[in-house]
Amino acid sequence: MTDTRTTDLSLTQAAAARVRTIAERQEKPAILRLSVEGGGCSGFQYRFGLADTVEAEDIVAETDGVRLVVDPVSLDLVRGCSVDFVESLGGTAFRVENPNAAAGCGCGSSFAV
């Protein structure tokens, strides 16, 4: 059964729009998977990718018809986070605002708890 507790995660409208654009170009569903892996300069690192399906155990947040999915193991490290899409002079990127992160690196793709 898919758990749809949106209080655990959120996806901004900017991020949803970017996921939709990428998914349309790649002819895939508008499903962004966020996972956490060991490594990076701060201990853990975020991984993003388009998913073909939502797995039964995934936690799902939806914004404007775009779904953000996280597996239960990664959820422990990103519970309460918000995923945004930012554009700056340094480039464009998905950015995670993670209330569980005690420290992060300058690139924004790794964190420590």
Side-chain angles (χ1 to χ4, degrees):
M1 179 194 304
T2 301
D3 186 346
T4 56
R5 293 174 291 165
T6 58
T7 57
D8 288 338
L9 306 167
S10 66
L11 185 67
T12 67
Q13 289 182 324
R18 183 61 176 174
V19 170
R20 184 179 303 102
T21 299
I22 294 169
E24 286 172 357
R25 279 191 216 145
Q26 295 185 13
E27 298 180 355
K28 290 188 156 213
I31 304 170
L32 179 66
R33 178 167 298 283
L34 168 62
S35 60
V36 176
E37 297 177 353
C41 47
S42 294
F44 294 101
Q45 58 189 355
Y46 302 112
R47 288 285 182 215
F48 291 101
L50 289 181
D52 292 320
T53 61
V54 175
E55 301 297 327
E57 65 277 359
D58 285 339
I59 308 305
V60 181
E62 187 167 332
T63 301
D64 298 337
V66 176
R67 290 177 281 178
L68 170 67
V69 296
V70 176
D71 64 272
V73 174
S74 295
L75 181 65
D76 287 340
L77 297 167
V78 297
R79 186 178 307 276
C81 81
S82 175
V83 176
D84 194 9
F85 181 75
V86 295
E87 297 182 67
S88 68
L89 291 175
T92 60
F94 287 103
R95 181 80 40 154
V96 179
E97 295 295 327
N98 188 346
N100 306 301
C105 68
C107 68
S109 66
S110 70
F111 66 101
V113 290

